[in-house]
């Protein structure tokens, strides 16, 4: 599970990270690819394997035909190329190549890449250099905003306003008739209202309405939870209708919450970004991938969000536990967590865990974030020196040095990651990254303490993904 420190020197002078087995498997687009890649993660099918000093790995994989598949991976992207016909990204051969290297680095001879691999590597890095040069003159070339686009945005805002006004009337009718009546109305009431919000081009409002429909069947106490969510929806409606009077950051948050598209437009932030966690969640007919990063110098936490069509994993993927020297451009809105990955400088490098806070301090961090975005379900935090322990109604993470603890969120109790966290801890303190919200703490990744070797050198502890 370790991110190797034994990488070759990179052009920037630092070590190139050799990914662990767990990090490689996290890049797989689906479970079938993980299983197929695992079968190729040994010496048997591979010949002509090698690596260079800038993060490229290549090899020939024996397939069913007479010609082996040519597979090359640039781990600084990461980016993949393979001569196989698979439409999955990365394919099983790219996964197998990285898994083979994770288990047997000595099998990859350092040196110049084979001709077929060199052509792809040089082409990719050349395009990256051209893109970086073109970006420096992009602002002058864009010119004024397109008038037609402004008109389309204005027309959409008018439709959203009409939808918000209609939704306000429906919420008023709901409260006038009593919340208990919604249990008898069934889910059709909410689905029809959500469809009206889709017609108004407000997908964010539609999604929140659909969530209301699931509350009535969520067990004892549902009227209280329904009232709470109706209150948040009413707050979002009125914020949209009065957005001209809001501070710019909060107005940007409201636009995002109702579902209007926004672009990354903040000042780029260059930092050494530690990859904290990566996980996929279904979002209707698409898959949403979330990658959490932490800036070593800036102390900022950032979220990279990408999407894949049904049956395909999003293209963007980064190995958890690695650090990338890169620029991020933040999106507007409260907290400015979401960002867009820009130019990368050099190769990925291994790193230890991020700094953390105590379990007792985490709720206050979430409370502060709510002032910027009242509709937040949770906020990212890293907890230091916590121990997972069983509780009366589930599990909690307890502070190893104080009398405080946080309940683990119900969503995490049924995932295998909980038992990974318990096994990694073994009753001792660990560093854990996740999200704190009104339902508790949801762990995403954990680091075990490093060990001190002879001579006083401390190794970087293992990182384990929990989602």
């Amino acid at each position: 599970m370790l991110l190797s420190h034994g990488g070759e020197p990179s052009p920037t002078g630092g070590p190139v990270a050799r990914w662990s087995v767990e990090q490689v498997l996290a890049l797989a687009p689906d479970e079938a690819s993980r299983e197929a890649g695992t079968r190729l993660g040994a010496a048997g099918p591979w010949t002509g394997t090698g690596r260079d000093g800038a993060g490229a790995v290549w090899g020939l994989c024996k397939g069913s035909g007479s010609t082996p598949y040519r597979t090359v991976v640039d781990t600084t992207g990461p980016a993949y190329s393979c001569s196989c016909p698979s439409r999955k990204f990365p394919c099983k051969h790219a996964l197998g190549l990285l898994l083979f290297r994770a288990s047997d680095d000595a099998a990859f001879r350092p040196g110049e890449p084979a001709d077929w691999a060199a052509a792809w590597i040089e082409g990719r890095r050349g395009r990256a250099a051209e893109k970086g040069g073109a970006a420096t003159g992009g602002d002058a070339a864009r010119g004024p905003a397109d008038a037609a686009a402004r008109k389309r945005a204005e027309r959409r805002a008018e439709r959203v306003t009409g939808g918000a006004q209609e939704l306000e009337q429906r919420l008023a009718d709901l409260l006038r008739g009593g919340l208990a009546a919604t249990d008898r109305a069934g889910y059709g009431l909410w689905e029809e209202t959500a469809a009206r919000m889709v017609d108004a081009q407000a997908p964010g409002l539609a999604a929140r309405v659909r969530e209301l429909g699931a509350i009535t069947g969520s067990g004892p106490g549902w009227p209280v939870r329904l009232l709470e969510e109706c209150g948040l929806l009413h707050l979002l409606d009125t914020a949209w209708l009065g957005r001209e009077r809001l501070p710019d950051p909060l107005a940007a948050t409201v636009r995002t919450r109702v579902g209007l598209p926004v672009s990354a437009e903040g000042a780029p932030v260059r930092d050494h970004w530690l990859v904290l966690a990566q996980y996929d969640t279904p979002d209707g007919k698409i898959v949403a991938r979330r990658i959490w990063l932490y800036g070593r110098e800036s102390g900022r936490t950032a979220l990279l969000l990408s999407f894949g069509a049904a049956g395909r994993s999003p293209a963007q993927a980064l190995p958890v536990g690695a650090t990338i020297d890169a620029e991020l451009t933040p999106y507007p809105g409260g907290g400015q967590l979401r960002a867009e990955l820009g130019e990368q400088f050099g190769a990925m490098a291994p790193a230890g865990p991020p700094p953390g806070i105590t379990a007792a301090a985490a709720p206050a961090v979430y409370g502060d974030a709510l002032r910027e975005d009242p509709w937040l379900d949770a906020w990212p935090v890293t907890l230091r020196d916590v121990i997972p322990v069983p509780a009366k109604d589930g599990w909690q993470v307890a502070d190893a040095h104080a009398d405080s603890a946080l309940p683990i969120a119900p969503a995490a109790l049924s995932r295998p990651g909980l038992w990974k966290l318990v096994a990694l801890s073994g009753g001792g303190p660990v560093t854990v990254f996740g999200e704190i919200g009104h339902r508790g703490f949801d762990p995403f990744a954990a680091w075990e303490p490093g060990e001190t070797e002879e001579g006083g050198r401390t190794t970087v502890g293992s990182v384990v993904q929990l989602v």
Side-chain angles (χ1 to χ4, degrees):
M1 296 181 184
L2 288 176
L3 181 67
S4 170
H5 280 244
E8 63 273 10
S10 74
T12 57
V16 173
R18 175 164 60 92
W19 298 352
S20 70
V21 170
E22 188 170 67
Q23 290 165 333
V24 174
L25 293 177
L27 304 177
D30 51 40
E31 186 59 36
S33 297
R34 290 188 185 92
E35 294 177 0
T38 299
R39 290 194 292 270
L40 296 175
W46 293 99
T47 58
T49 54
R51 57 183 171 88
D52 69 6
V57 185
W58 58 88
L60 299 172
C61 185
K62 183 180 179 182
S64 56
S66 58
T67 303
Y69 295 120
R70 297 176 171 182
T71 308
V72 56
V73 179
D74 183 355
T75 61
T76 64
Y80 320 90
S81 175
C82 185
S83 60
C84 76
S86 174
R87 297 181 62 184
K88 293 184 178 180
F89 187 82
C91 68
K92 64 181 181 181
H93 304 102
L95 293 170
L97 181 68
L98 292 173
L99 289 171
F100 180 25
R101 191 192 172 196
S103 62
D104 188 4
D105 189 44
F108 289 76
R109 188 185 40 149
E112 293 298 318
D115 292 343
W116 56 268
W120 180 82
I121 295 170
E122 292 170 3
R124 168 177 159 73
R125 292 173 181 168
R127 288 190 297 272
E130 291 174 4
K131 182 178 178 181
T136 60
D139 290 340
R142 275 197 294 268
D146 179 62
R150 284 202 303 270
K151 282 190 172 294
R152 288 194 298 268
E154 291 170 0
R155 288 196 297 267
R156 179 170 185 176
E158 291 174 0
R159 285 192 287 268
V160 173
T161 296
Q165 291 170 338
E166 179 180 345
L167 183 55
E168 278 297 283
Q169 185 60 52
R170 295 197 177 205
L171 289 175
D173 293 343
L174 173 67
L175 295 177
R176 191 178 299 112
L179 292 179
T182 60
D183 192 20
R184 297 190 296 272
Y187 191 76
L189 167 69
W190 306 108
E191 188 57 39
E192 191 268 337
T193 304
R196 294 290 298 155
M197 296 304 104
V198 172
D199 292 340
Q201 292 188 292
L205 294 179
R208 298 190 79 91
V209 168
R210 289 193 178 97
E211 290 175 1
L212 295 180
I215 294 177
T216 55
S218 61
W222 67 263
V224 174
R225 294 191 291 275
L226 181 60
L227 181 60
E228 292 173 347
E229 292 302 319
C230 284
L232 286 172
L233 187 53
H234 166 69
L235 180 64
L236 183 55
D237 275 342
T238 54
W240 170 263
L241 296 174
R243 61 191 180 280
E244 294 84 0
R245 300 187 299 273
L246 299 178
D248 289 343
L250 184 55
T253 298
V254 171
R255 288 194 294 270
T256 301
R257 289 296 181 182
V258 301
L260 294 188
V262 294
S263 301
E265 58 186 35
V269 179
R270 181 177 176 180
D271 205 334
H272 289 84
W273 299 95
L274 169 64
V275 184
L276 297 170
Q278 174 181 292
Y279 58 96
D280 296 344
T281 54
D283 188 0
K285 294 183 179 180
I286 62 176
V287 175
R289 171 165 292 171
R290 289 169 170 81
I291 302 177
W292 287 103
L293 305 175
Y294 172 77
R296 290 286 188 182
E297 285 77 35
S298 65
R300 298 177 61 161
T301 301
L303 171 65
L304 304 181
L305 188 60
S306 58
F307 300 92
R312 299 192 66 181
S313 181
Q316 192 170 61
L318 296 172
V320 175
T323 296
I324 57 173
D325 181 4
E327 286 185 344
L328 295 187
T329 303
Y331 281 74
Q336 291 191 327
L337 281 183
R338 188 183 172 190
E340 184 177 278
L341 181 62
E343 184 178 359
Q344 299 182 47
F345 307 92
M348 297 181 188
I357 61 175
T358 63
V365 172
Y366 175 49
D368 291 341
L370 284 174
R371 288 203 295 266
E372 301 289 335
D373 184 351
W375 303 277
L376 274 175
D377 288 326
W379 188 257
V381 293
T382 300
L383 304 179
R384 68 168 187 265
D385 295 335
V386 293
I387 304 172
V389 295
K392 181 180 179 181
D393 299 320
W395 283 78
Q396 59 186 6
V397 283
D399 194 310
H401 308 297
D403 187 18
S404 61
L406 293 173
I408 291 181
L413 297 178
S414 59
R415 292 200 305 256
L418 173 62
W419 301 109
K420 290 183 181 180
L421 177 60
V422 173
L424 182 70
S425 166
V430 292
T431 297
V432 185
F433 169 76
E435 290 184 349
I436 176 69
H438 61 280
R439 296 181 181 89
F441 178 71
D442 194 355
F444 294 160
W447 290 258
E448 67 178 357
E451 299 179 357
T452 303
E453 302 175 344
E454 293 184 10
R457 178 178 178 269
T458 301
T459 62
V460 176
S462 301
V463 57
V464 176
Q465 294 190 85
L466 308 176
V467 287

